[in-house]
Structure formats: C-alpha cells, structure tokens
Amino acid sequence: MPSVARSVPVTPPQQAGETPAISLRGVRKEFPGGIVAVHDLDLDIAEGEFVTLLGPSGSGKTTVLRLIAGFEQPTAGTVLLRSRDVTAAPPFDRDVHTVFQDYALFPHLSVLRNVEYPLRIAKVPRAERRERALAALATVRLEALGDRSPAALSGGQRQRVALARALVNRPAVLLLDEPLGALDLKLREQMQIELKEIQRTSGITFVFVTHDQDEALTLADRTIVFSEGRVEQAGSAQEVYERPASAFVAGFVGTSNVLAGADARAVLGRDGSWSIRPEKITVTAADHTAPAGWTTAVGVVEELVYTGATTRCVVALEAGGVLSALLLNGGGNDLPTLARGQDVRLSWRPEHEIHLM
Amino acid sequence: MILSTPARWLLRAAAIGVLTFVYVPLLLVLVNSFSSSATFTWPPPSLTLQWWQVAATNEGLRAAVVTSVEVALLATLIAVVIGTLASMALTRYTFFGQEAVSLLVLLPIALPGIVTGIALNTLFTQALGGLTFFTLVAGHATFCIVIVVNNASARLRRMSGTVEEASTDLGATPWTTWWLVTFPALRGALVAGALLAFALSFDEIIVTTFTAGPGLQTLPLWIFQNLFRPNQSPVVNVAAAVLVVISVLPVYLANRLSGDSAGAATK
Ligand SMILES: Nc1ncnc2c1ncn2[C@@H]1O[C@H](COP(=O)(O)OP(=O)(O)O)[C@@H](O)[C@H]1O
Ligand SMILES: [Mg+2]
C-alpha cells in the first residue's frame, strides 16, 4: 500500500505508440426494433487507467460494457483488447472480468469457493488457489467470512466478494456496472475510496459505469460523458466540470447554469449558450460595484436553499435569465441577511463563462 | 390469518372429511392385504402374511411389477434428458415461436389421457409398425416430460441469468458453466421432477392401454384385469398395496426435496 497519498490524480498520458488496453473503433450497436444503443463509438482506454462512463439511465453505458465483455456483438465496428481483435471472441476468451450490478454470486458455493472459481477454471492447483483466494478476500477485508454462503451476507459484503472474485485472477481489464448503486451513502463513499486504492495498487484498467456525477468525478482519471449512445465529452474531472463541451454536459455534470439566446446577449453581450458554475459567482448588495473587469448583473433573490455547508441562491436577473450562486456558509459572508425578494448583484470573472457547443 | 371460532371448526371438519374420504379406503386396502379372510370382512378375523406369499409367487403379478418399474424408469430417464434440454431452450434462449412451443410442451398434461392414448395408438400402429415395449415407454414419456419441464423451468426462471454470464465472464466455457453453475442449481428440481414423473408413470392406466405392446402388462393393468375374479381378490389387495407404496413414496420424497431446496434458495 502506498503510504504517500498523491495530491492530484494522475491522468495516464495517451502516449503515442503505447497500445491501449481497450480500443473501440466505430462501434455501433443496434437492438432489434431499431433501437440504437451505441452510435459509432471511437474510444481508447489506456493501460492502468481508471475510466468512468457517466450518463443518464438508458444512455448506453451498460451496452458499452457488454460489448467490451463480449456479451453483445457490435452491429458494426471492432473491439480490440491490447490490440487483439476480439470482436467475435466469446466472453470466456477475453481477459476481462466484470463486477455485475446484482453481484451475480454463485448461490450454491461458499464465499471462498466463489472467489476461487476463476482460478478453478484456469486450472490453478488447489493449494495455490486457496492461498490466492484468501489473499483476494483479505484485500476486501472479508477473509473471516470465507465459509459463509453468499445468502448470509449483507449487500456491502456481497459487493466485496464480487470484487474479490473479479480481481483474483488479475484480468487485464475490470468492468464495473454501477457496482455501488445498491449501497447506502456512507458505505458507497467508503467503497469508492477502497476501489480507488485497489485500482492504484493493482494497476488493472478499470472501466466503471455510473449515473452519479460525484462518483464519476471522484474516482476517475478520465470521465466519459454519454448521452443517447454518443460520447458528449471525455476528459479529466476538472476538464469535464470546468469546461463542459455541451449544454448537456454542463447540465448533467454539476448544476445547470446556462444563459442562452436573448439572455446571453443582454447579460454577457454575446451570442450562443454560456455556462457559469454556481460557485464562481459572487453575491453582493445591489449597490455594490463589481471588481474591475468582472461581468456583473443585478437581480432579485427567488429562492434560498440551505444545505448545511452551503446555501444555493437562485437569482432572477433583471436583464433576463436565472442564475444560481453557491455560497459557503463560512460566517464571513458580505450578506449575512440574504432574504427572498432582496435585490442583489451577481458578478464573476469573464473566464468562467464557458461557451457551449 | 385470524378466523372466528365457528369458521375454524368448519375448516377443521372439512379437512378431516376430505382426508377420511381419501385415506380410509387406502387403509382398508392395506389392512385387507393382511386379512386372513379371502372375502372382505370387517374387522379382519386375524392377520396373516399368506396373501403376500401367494402374490410373491404369482408369475403374472411379478412380471407386471417388473414391467411397470422398467417402463417408469426408462420414461423418467427420457423425460429428464429431453425435459432439461427443453427447459434450457425455453428459459435461456429466445427463438421464433418460443411462446407457442412452451405451450405445446405443457399441453399433454391438459389433454385427456384417452385422446393422447388414441393419437399415439394411431401413430404407432399406422406409421411405426405396431405396439411394443418401446411404444409404451414413449407414451409414458410424453407426460413425464411435462413434469420435468415444469419443475426445471420454474427453477431456471427463478435463477438470475447473470449468474451464468458471470461464469462465462470469469473464463468458463458454456459447457463448464452448465456443469459448475446451472446444473448444481437445477439438480434438486430435476430429482423432484424425476420422482414425480416416476410416480405418474407407475400408476398410469389410460395411455398404457393404448400404447402397450401385445401381452405386456403393467401393474395397474394387471390389477384392473384381476379385480373382478373373486378368487384373486386378496392378491389384488396386495398388488394395490404395492402400487400405493411405490407411487406415494416418490411423491413424498419429491415434496421433501423441493421444500428443502426452496428453503435454501430463499434463505
Ligand atoms: N437486450 C436489449 N434489447 C433491446 N434493447 C436494449 C437491450 N439492452 C439495452 N437496450 C436499449 O439500449 C439502450 C441503452 O441501454 P443501456 O446500455 O442499458 O443503458 P444504461 O446502462 O446507460 O442505462 C436503452 O434504450 C435500452 O432500452
Ligand atoms: Mg445500465
């Protein structure tokens, strides 16, 4: 285990010449009935990278995983694993293991025998099999429960068994389909930290599907935002959040704060759609003057949503449009007596105005 | 459920009535097979094993029991093999006409035995050159398959398909997956289905009448033919007692088994 925590997640650079762990080339998946789940997808995932696929329900995330695992055949395009063309290869002939959303543990086998299963298939000798399975259970801190039946485990424990079973034979790629979806918030946050740790120490390529933007941004070296079977944007957490490429991404990742059309012209003096993240906006009294060079607009407080650490302040602008500002409840606010109906001035640096395609 | 006292008494009386109606005649048959009187007298004057000895040396009866066991075993074996394959096809794959096939497979249980019997009789005598031991087995297999398909499909439907996907994902071929994952989950249901199929075949008489080769007698056929011969009546009682035991035991076991495995699945 690394004792020194890295302060910033390192994005593995897509170096030229290095073969990606996974390559999807023009992959398209059509289901009977004309549903196109994946449109002509081109995607490279580097060796050792932690990638999250983020998108709303029905956007094709599971289908992409199933195409990589081999449960679905693409209608067009090729799937490469470490530059080997596996488009037509069955799932058992791909060095890819999956953590299923419903865990899919074998009900008739004990926890230990579940984890031993892939080693048994790979004809690893009995003694070594046991040793490695116990080691895998230890990494998910379940070594004491090896004799239990999966039915006698809690949801969080089953999740860990599924993870140990998928990792024990060290696949080149681990696919995880909303693996934390069924867990409560505390457990989910704890598992996120453990997953990140396991991924870092094992160096295995992780492809993690989620519809939860916080989860996606927390875990990933790179987040790929999906909508209706297409990639909307791919990039680091920072890129996707700070520089959303489309109105969809701006809305799906973080709070939608978009000025478009007439509102954009009136407030920003520009055409097109623009996004400003709520925490970049400063709220002051209406008669305050904004710092030189900042964009500014006055409006009326419509809504104040107190959420503990922060307050969301929704302001209807005089010039048109609605913007939310996020205020930290730090005690040092200029406006301790913010109230609904109050006139306020919003201001922000122009570089925080993100042009959306 | 909370019931008023009169309602409880009514239900209790009804249950006792039904059980009496079903089991008292059965008990009479069993007791009679040990009665020293050759005709029905109640209470039996004294108890004896005499009729069991007579029955044991009765060639016709012995041959009938052997035929019944052979037919039931073979029909069950065929039903288990075909029934397992059919239930896999019906629950694990999608194909054109699946709904129709799934209905057609279950239909023989709803068809009156006499219709199945006549239909099979026509097929066997007109197209396949007459009735033999094997046409009898085939006739029995038709309804035995239904039992196995029913039991196995119910289990397969309850079992999440992702478990099999997980197995192939972890490197197992479909064949290995079948042996290590699907079959162990299915085993209890198959044994229960086989036991029920055996019991059904063992006391079947209508389809048997239409599909048995000449000279072949199963135990129910033998009983039916000897029922009205007065001198045979004590031996018929013995045969009936044997029939009851051999048919009820598998049903009891099957019940125990499915109870156990259902408990394990929901635990
Ligand atoms: N086996 C299937 N048959 C038909 N349509 C499917 C099948 N699997 C998925 N789809 C459709 O493909 C689209 C994408 O589904 P999916 O990949 O499960 O999305 P997500 O995982 O993002 O929720 C959906 O419209 C879904 O209804
Ligand atoms: Mg999904």
Side-chain angles (χ1 to χ4, degrees):
Chain A
M1 251 182 236
S3 52
V4 185
R6 295 187 208 166
S7 53
V8 178
V10 179
T11 310
Q14 296 266 35
Q15 285 164 8
E18 193 182 306
T19 48
I22 305 168
S23 255
L24 304 180
R25 298 253 175 277
V27 167
R28 177 183 180 82
K29 180 65 188 178
E30 251 181 85
F31 284 112
I35 304 158
V36 184
V38 178
H39 292 269
D40 311 296
L41 176 62
D42 282 301
L43 181 62
D44 278 349
I45 294 171
E47 201 71 57
E49 199 180 3
F50 196 138
V51 163
T52 52
L53 306 185
L54 173 65
S57 176
S59 56
K61 309 179 297 290
T62 297
T63 305
V64 172
L65 280 202
R66 292 177 62 82
L67 285 163
I68 298 172
F71 295 123
E72 306 284 357
Q73 301 287 312
T75 315
T78 44
V79 180
L80 303 163
L81 293 176
R82 289 183 169 160
S83 73
R84 174 185 161 221
D85 185 342
V86 294
T87 311
F92 56 85
D93 190 23
R94 301 185 184 200
D95 195 10
V96 171
H97 290 178
T98 306
V99 176
F100 291 84
Q101 184 162 18
D102 66 355
Y103 314 138
L105 300 179
F106 305 124
H108 62 292
L109 298 179
S110 71
V111 165
L112 184 62
R113 306 260 290 156
N114 259 281
V115 179
E116 278 184 1
Y117 189 87
L119 303 174
R120 193 169 151 199
I121 299 300
K123 303 210 160 56
V124 174
R126 187 177 290 266
E128 186 192 339
R129 202 155 86 193
R130 176 118 325 180
E131 192 182 320
R132 283 172 63 185
L134 283 170
L137 278 175
T139 60
V140 294
R141 295 186 285 106
L142 281 183
E143 60 271 46
L145 300 186
D147 294 330
R148 288 247 188 117
S149 143
L153 298 180
S154 72
Q157 289 168 334
R158 280 180 212 179
Q159 159 68 67
R160 284 158 198 254
V161 176
L163 188 62
R165 185 180 67 176
L167 282 168
V168 70
N169 206 16
R170 294 199 47 90
V173 172
L174 189 72
L175 307 176
L176 305 100
D177 193 358
E178 309 210 14
L180 311 181
L183 307 183
D184 61 58
L185 184 63
K186 273 270 183 307
L187 200 53
R188 199 153 75 214
E189 286 175 346
Q190 186 191 339
M191 277 306 292
Q192 284 171 6
I193 294 168
E194 287 181 24
L195 271 176
K196 189 81 189 158
E197 182 69 32
I198 288 170
Q199 195 270 338
R200 229 184 335 239
T201 47
S202 67
I204 293 172
T205 308
F206 274 37
V207 183
F208 184 108
V209 159
T210 180
H211 63 260
D212 181 315
Q213 43 137 334
D214 291 331
E215 190 164 275
L217 299 183
T218 309
L219 287 170
D221 300 324
R222 195 152 61 106
T223 295
I224 294 157
V225 186
F226 270 82
S227 167
E228 297 178 351
R230 291 177 213 275
V231 173
E232 287 278 333
Q233 190 174 3
S236 70
Q238 238 166 358
E239 282 164 0
V240 169
Y241 186 78
E242 306 274 349
R243 302 260 146 223
S246 66
F248 173 83
V249 177
F252 193 72
V253 183
T255 307
S256 174
N257 230 10
V258 176
L259 292 175
D263 299 339
R265 267 194 301 281
V267 177
L268 310 170
R270 304 200 252 197
D271 284 321
S273 293
W274 298 81
S275 159
I276 305 140
R277 290 298 183 192
E279 69 279 6
K280 314 288 188 199
I281 299 176
T282 308
V283 183
T284 56
D287 51 8
H288 246 73
T289 40
W294 287 36
T295 312
T296 181
V298 289
V300 178
V301 177
E302 263 195 342
E303 200 75 68
L304 284 167
V305 186
Y306 177 81
T307 57
T310 59
T311 299
R312 180 172 301 283
C313 176
V314 184
V315 176
L317 301 179
E318 217 165 68
V322 176
L323 285 179
S324 289
L326 199 66
L327 308 174
L328 202 58
N329 296 328
N333 277 350
D334 298 348
L335 278 178
T337 55
L338 216 50
R340 277 174 66 174
Q342 191 175 341
D343 288 330
V344 290
R345 173 176 299 281
L346 303 183
S347 31
W348 58 88
R349 289 175 192 277
E351 64 257 36
H352 293 311
E353 296 159 9
I354 312 300
H355 189 218
L356 305 174
M357 301 302 150
Chain B
M1 197 166 49
I2 296 161
L3 291 174
S4 62
T5 312
R8 232 178 5 228
W9 278 106
L10 200 69
L11 281 180
R12 224 173 267 179
I16 291 171
V18 168
L19 291 178
T20 311
F21 192 70
V22 172
Y23 287 104
V24 164
L26 280 181
L27 211 64
L28 285 184
V29 167
L30 275 175
V31 172
N32 255 340
S33 72
F34 295 105
S35 168
S36 57
S37 163
T39 55
F40 178 75
T41 39
W42 192 261
S46 66
L47 297 180
T48 169
L49 282 176
Q50 176 194 354
W51 307 120
W52 284 78
Q53 278 159 359
V54 173
T57 54
N58 182 319
E59 272 310 314
L61 176 57
R62 246 210 338 235
V65 170
V66 169
T67 307
S68 275
V69 170
E70 284 173 353
V71 169
L73 280 179
L74 273 176
T76 302
L77 185 71
I78 293 172
V80 166
V81 172
I82 297 182
T84 305
L85 294 174
S87 54
M88 284 296 289
L90 289 173
T91 59
R92 287 294 182 266
Y93 299 93
T94 43
F95 52 88
F96 178 75
Q98 186 160 27
E99 302 263 308
V101 171
S102 122
L103 184 68
L104 287 175
V105 168
L106 298 182
L107 205 57
I109 207 89
L111 282 179
I114 194 149
V115 174
T116 313
I118 291 172
L120 288 174
N121 181 278
T122 312
L123 173 72
F124 292 148
T125 53
Q126 308 292 312
L128 296 175
L131 301 176
T132 63
F133 174 77
F134 295 102
T135 57
L136 176 56
V137 170
H140 279 209
T142 56
F143 54 83
C144 289
I145 288 174
V146 181
I147 305 297
V148 175
V149 168
N150 245 347
N151 268 21
S153 303
R155 177 65 55 88
L156 285 172
R157 286 208 182 89
R158 241 185 349 201
M159 177 182 161
S160 141
T162 54
V163 176
E164 285 151 332
E165 276 191 352
S167 170
T168 41
D169 184 68
L170 294 168
T173 59
W175 183 240
T176 312
T177 297
W178 159 258
W179 274 116
L180 295 183
V181 176
T182 318
F183 179 68
L186 206 51
R187 196 164 38 205
L190 286 181
V191 173
L195 287 168
L196 288 175
F198 182 91
L200 263 188
S201 162
F202 200 77
D203 64 10
E204 212 285 335
I205 192 157
I206 303 173
V207 173
T208 311
T209 315
F210 287 95
T211 53
L216 271 178
Q217 249 182 359
T218 63
L219 186 56
L221 280 185
W222 185 92
I223 293 175
F224 193 66
Q225 279 175 14
N226 288 279
L227 195 55
F228 305 110
R229 298 185 189 161
N231 57 333
Q232 286 283 48
S233 128
V235 180
V236 167
N237 276 332
V238 172
V242 170
L243 189 58
V244 167
V245 171
I246 298 187
S247 326
V248 167
L249 207 64
V251 175
Y252 168 76
L253 287 176
N255 204 7
R256 284 278 311 260
L257 260 179
S258 21
D260 281 358
S261 40
T266 53
K267 200 163 46 184

